[in-house]
Amino acid sequence: MPELPEVETIKRYLNKAISGKRIVNIEILSKKQFPDNPKEVIGAKILLVKRRAKNLIINLSNKKALVVHLKLSGQLIWERKAKIPVKSTRVIISLNGGKLFFNEMRKFGWIKILNQNQLDLELARFGPEPFSRDFSIEYLQKAFGGISRPIKTILLDQEKIAGIGNIYANEALFEAKINPQKSANKLTTIEIGKLQKAILLVLKEGIKYGGASAADQMYIRPDSSHGSYQQHFRIYQKDGEKCRKCKAIVKRISLGGRGTFFCPRCQPRRQR
DNA sequence: TGATATGTTATCTT
DNA sequence: CAAGATAACATATC
């Protein structure tokens, strides 16, 4: 599922592929997923593709932006040559020189047209970007303080930290040797430091490998190629296998309704 | 066939 | 009221 590294990979690809091109036509096959009037952006030129949290922001020459959220199963596929839609295609954005297909099996994702004010409002509620200066140990101490919910559910809270999803939350907690069920307010300063470093490490790795395209995942890059981070998973979906560090059997539980993977020996409930 | 998975948000509960 | 928990959304897969 597209999280920060996957969206970042798509962003970098599209920036090279479609910047400077003009929107010629927009074909909407699922109105719910493109609720605005496409006429607002026909003729506009694409200036820049950006990312905030798991949102892709396509800045246009008419001061508006196309904001894309891929949710669980979204794909943005860039095709230079004529190509027909697939079953999950919901929107086709035709540019001069190719077509951008928005495919999304589950129909949760969307594309919105926002002006500058609306965009600022939409993005204001997200917590700091992990790769920004605001993502400091001091910030995390404040953000985790007074919260008795499990640390893993906090990592997934986009208002606390932007862009982390289930894969990278599991990976970062394993890397930091923190039990996912531990209350956020019980983390020590040392643990918070380790967690901050671990988050940056696993996100960087994810980007390096072009994101994670595991078997049951829909994520692929705009050129239809797969990312390879799934080959480097430490803990995600490793339940029943031996921990790569200590050979204990990796456990799987459900936290906040999400699959949660951890090593009972490397990430014990209580410190020893 | 029905449970499960998944990110986000709406809604319910405590 | 706020924090936390859960349902809802859609659909393929197991």
Side-chain angles (χ1 to χ4, degrees):
Chain A
M1 52 248 78
E3 306 179 23
L4 186 153
E6 287 77 25
V7 180
E8 181 67 24
T9 301
I10 295 170
K11 179 203 91 178
R12 292 180 186 184
Y13 187 98
L14 289 183
N15 230 339
K16 288 193 186 142
I18 67 170
S19 291
K21 298 199 186 298
R22 210 171 274 282
I23 299 177
V24 179
N25 186 38
I26 298 184
E27 210 176 321
I28 300 168
L29 307 177
S30 170
K31 182 85 173 87
K32 173 190 171 227
Q33 293 173 275
F34 195 117
D36 300 316
N37 187 347
K39 284 183 183 164
E40 289 181 59
V41 296
I42 304 287
K45 195 185 264 184
I46 291 169
L47 301 181
L48 186 68
V49 185
K50 298 196 289 186
R51 180 192 58 77
R52 175 80 172 99
K54 298 169 192 168
N55 295 276
L56 268 174
I57 299 142
I58 304 175
N59 278 136
L60 302 175
S61 56
N62 64 357
K63 310 272 183 194
K64 294 184 181 184
L66 284 170
V67 181
V68 183
H69 200 301
L70 299 169
K71 288 286 176 95
L72 303 179
S73 60
Q75 305 172 334
L76 280 172
I77 306 294
W78 172 242
E79 298 282 357
R80 292 167 184 285
K81 296 178 198 146
K83 184 130 197 274
I84 53 161
V86 294
K87 201 171 86 179
S88 65
T89 299
R90 309 303 178 194
V91 180
I92 306 169
I93 300 176
S94 298
L95 308 179
N96 54 329
K99 290 182 175 184
L100 193 59
F101 288 80
F102 175 57
N103 300 338
E104 214 250 337
M105 188 177 71
R106 294 202 174 87
K107 296 187 173 177
F108 287 172
W110 42 255
I111 303 178
K112 294 180 197 172
I113 300 171
L114 300 180
N115 63 33
Q116 194 56 54
N117 279 341
Q118 295 167 320
L119 184 63
D120 291 345
L121 252 160
E122 177 97 6
L123 301 181
R125 59 204 171 82
F126 293 109
E129 285 290 325
F131 292 113
S132 76
R133 212 173 290 125
D134 296 337
F135 185 65
S136 63
I137 293 174
E138 296 72 40
Y139 168 78
L140 291 178
Q141 277 177 318
K142 225 180 277 172
F144 296 162
I147 292 183
S148 61
R149 293 158 69 208
I151 181 63
K152 177 161 175 262
T153 66
I154 307 307
L155 294 185
L156 297 176
D157 184 344
Q158 302 300 302
E159 296 185 13
K160 297 287 189 299
I161 306 169
I164 300 177
N166 202 30
I167 294 173
Y168 296 92
N170 278 295
E171 294 290 305
L173 286 168
F174 175 76
E175 185 63 28
K177 297 182 166 25
I178 297 171
N179 188 286
Q181 292 168 284
K182 186 159 185 169
S183 288
N185 59 4
K186 296 223 172 101
L187 294 197
T188 64
T189 307
I190 289 173
E191 284 178 316
I192 291 176
K194 281 188 189 167
L195 184 54
Q196 190 236 19
K197 266 183 70 183
I199 288 168
L200 293 175
L201 177 74
V202 299
L203 291 177
K204 264 185 210 157
E205 269 182 19
I207 294 170
K208 180 175 148 195
Y209 292 110
S213 309
D216 59 338
Q217 282 156 9
M218 306 299 294
Y219 162 76
I220 49 177
R221 291 183 268 204
D223 63 355
S224 296
S225 68
H226 288 236
S228 60
Y229 186 58
Q230 67 280 4
Q231 293 165 22
H232 304 273
F233 286 163
R234 296 160 170 75
I235 198 82
Y236 184 73
Q237 289 178 336
K238 299 281 189 199
D239 49 317
E241 297 180 34
K242 284 179 183 167
C243 167
R244 60 148 75 178
K245 286 195 175 141
C246 76
K247 310 293 181 206
I249 300 296
V250 174
K251 277 188 106 176
R252 186 212 149 100
I253 57 170
S254 182
L255 259 191
R258 294 298 172 261
T260 300
F261 307 86
F262 68 103
C263 169
R265 195 181 295 169
C266 294
Q267 300 160 273
R269 277 277 220 154
R270 50 184 81 236
Q271 225 75 16
R272 35 161 271 124

